[in-house]
Amino acid sequence: MQRRPNRRTFLKTGIASALLGPRLDVKAAGAGFLPVVVSSGNGLAAAARAMQEIEDGRDALDAVIAGVNIVENDPNDMSVGYGGLPNEDGGVEVDSCVMHGPTHRGGAVAALRNIKTPSNVAQVVMERSDHALLVGEGALRFARMHGFPEVDLLTDRAREAWLRWRENLSTRDDRLPAHSPEDADVGRAASLPERNHGTISCLAVDGRGDISGVTTTSGLSFKIPGRVGDSPIFGAGLYVDNEVGAAGSTGRGEANLLNCTSFAVVEFMRNGASPEEACLMACQRIVDHNKVARLRDDEGRPRFGVSFYAVSKAGQHGGASIWGPMRYAINTGGESAHHDGAHLYRRG
Ligand code: ASP
């Protein structure tokens, strides 16, 4: 059922036909609504939990949020919620958005501190305010008002990783990593740990064919305080159209913000592309718009990664990354499994 387009022929013919092709007509295609949950590769447990909730008759949005709560609460996942890597000042700022397909409503929070499960706050923004996005101190006050407990999100493990980054940032400041008095190279930028990207996105179609999605993250590690990525922005890190499908994304948020790419994935599907084709087209869109020299390698390819996950109303699913190999998590009942997605380029 999942078809892997050959990149070259797809890019030559697929984009044109997908853009001009027939609108997705689920009823004409005779599709039933088989529940399906699609998530980023780190979402096996989240997808299984979401499917359980859907099987118990819960709304798809409640289901995907219950799924990602597992990762948000996990201190060992250093890219989402509690235990996430902090910003450059050592403060953990989390971002999330949710979209409820049947009512086309959404809620989001950005640069939120001290709350373990930003996806729940995003849902309350959707349900208990006339706004779609709250940020920073205002988002925290709103969360407090609704009874969310405040917690220090910085675990010791994340603090130590941040300290290592901070102490190795420059040889021109006075901070030094642990070293012996004989070490002449102490504090060299060469030993900087990798900047960390990581996020969970989770999308579901329930048995009624209603679609919802959530994306939640602590964002780019060691970011400038106040930096907001794509995850809490509708159309960038998540988009749901109940008539068509949903898309979510992980990776370099700035690329999604500048290309509205999750929205584009859903529009590509509306125009006839399969979820995998649509995700690949979104990757190509980013590559085509990536004109800044510092973000391109010698062959003009992006020096960063972005991945997309998508599901159609008919329950087809797919994923693609700029850099492969990529895989995403799927649950159609029972155990979750990883599925291979497509990619534009392969490392190594
Ligand atoms: N997209 C997230 C952001 O830019 C991070 C990630 O998915 O790796 O904040």
Side-chain angles (χ1 to χ4, degrees), residues 84-170:
L85 287 169
N87 64 25
E88 67 179 16
D89 290 344
V92 182
E93 293 182 335
V94 293
D95 296 340
S96 178
C97 79
V98 302
M99 274 191 87
H100 184 242
T103 55
H104 203 76
R105 289 179 306 159
V109 288
L112 173 65
R113 294 192 179 216
N114 294 358
I115 305 289
K116 271 182 163 180
T117 56
S119 62
N120 292 105
V121 186
Q123 185 178 24
V124 179
V125 170
M126 179 184 94
E127 290 175 348
R128 302 286 292 272
S129 84
D130 189 38
H131 303 318
L133 169 63
L134 294 179
V135 307
E137 181 58 28
L140 176 57
R141 280 161 56 180
F142 180 85
R144 259 191 224 128
M145 182 183 281
H146 283 278
F148 285 88
E150 279 190 74
V151 199
D152 184 358
L153 299 181
L154 188 67
T155 55
D156 270 350
R157 189 161 161 234
R159 184 185 51 74
E160 276 159 22
W162 166 69
L163 198 57
R164 259 197 321 281
W165 171 80
R166 188 67 193 80
E167 288 176 339
N168 286 289
L169 201 53
S170 169

Side-chain angles (χ1 to χ4, degrees), residues 184-199:
D185 289 331
V186 64
R188 292 262 178 231
S191 51
L192 272 186
E194 282 265 308
R195 303 289 294 281
N196 188 70
H197 273 282
T199 296

Side-chain angles (χ1 to χ4, degrees), residues 46-330:
R49 175 68 194 276
M51 181 54 77
Q52 248 169 37
E53 300 285 329
I54 287 174
E55 286 171 351
D56 289 348
R58 287 184 76 193
D59 183 88
L61 181 57
D62 294 329
V64 291
I65 291 174
V68 300
N69 281 167
I70 297 173
V71 182
E72 288 177 322
N73 282 309
D74 179 359
N76 293 318
D77 186 304
M78 297 178 86
S79 67
V80 179
Y82 181 57
L85 287 169
N87 64 25
E88 67 179 16
D89 290 344
V92 182
E93 293 182 335
V94 293
D95 296 340
S96 178
C97 79
V98 302
M99 274 191 87
H100 184 242
T103 55
H104 203 76
R105 289 179 306 159
V109 288
L112 173 65
R113 294 192 179 216
N114 294 358
I115 305 289
K116 271 182 163 180
T117 56
S119 62
N120 292 105
V121 186
Q123 185 178 24
V124 179
V125 170
M126 179 184 94
E127 290 175 348
R128 302 286 292 272
S129 84
D130 189 38
H131 303 318
L133 169 63
L134 294 179
V135 307
E137 181 58 28
L140 176 57
R141 280 161 56 180
F142 180 85
R144 259 191 224 128
M145 182 183 281
H146 283 278
F148 285 88
E150 279 190 74
V151 199
D152 184 358
L153 299 181
L154 188 67
T155 55
D156 270 350
R157 189 161 161 234
R159 184 185 51 74
E160 276 159 22
W162 166 69
L163 198 57
R164 259 197 321 281
W165 171 80
R166 188 67 193 80
E167 288 176 339
N168 286 289
L169 201 53
S170 169
T171 48
R172 299 194 189 172
D173 68 15
D174 301 328
R175 296 178 200 274
L176 299 173
H179 63 286
S180 79
E182 289 76 43
D183 186 350
D185 289 331
V186 64
R188 292 262 178 231
S191 51
L192 272 186
E194 282 265 308
R195 303 289 294 281
N196 188 70
H197 273 282
T199 296
I200 182 165
S201 186
C202 191
L203 317 166
V205 186
D206 67 20
R208 292 177 294 274
D210 283 331
I211 309 168
S212 285
V214 56
T215 299
T216 180
T217 189
S218 54
L220 177 65
S221 60
F222 318 138
K223 59 195 171 187
I224 296 175
R227 178 265 189 188
V228 171
D230 59 324
S231 307
I233 305 298
F234 305 104
L238 177 73
Y239 196 70
V240 176
D241 183 321
N242 209 48
E243 299 307 310
V244 178
S249 184
T250 58
R252 181 177 162 83
E254 284 71 11
N256 278 333
L257 287 168
L258 293 170
N259 290 286
C260 302
T261 348
S262 288
F263 177 73
V265 170
V266 173
E267 293 305 295
F268 292 143
M269 290 195 290
R270 186 194 305 281
N271 287 307
S274 73
E276 185 176 275
E277 288 167 348
C279 291
L280 206 53
M281 290 163 77
C283 293
Q284 187 63 48
R285 174 70 58 84
I286 290 174
V287 170
D288 293 345
H289 283 167
N290 183 39
K291 299 174 196 296
V292 176
R294 71 186 167 81
L295 297 175
R296 294 160 61 95
D297 70 10
D298 293 345
E299 294 174 44
R301 303 171 304 183
R303 287 188 192 275
F304 56 82
V306 180
S307 301
F308 294 97
Y309 320 93
V311 65
S312 73
K313 191 168 180 76
Q316 284 180 296
H317 51 85
S321 288
I322 295 178
W323 289 97
M326 82 84 72
R327 57 186 199 165
Y328 60 99
I330 276 294

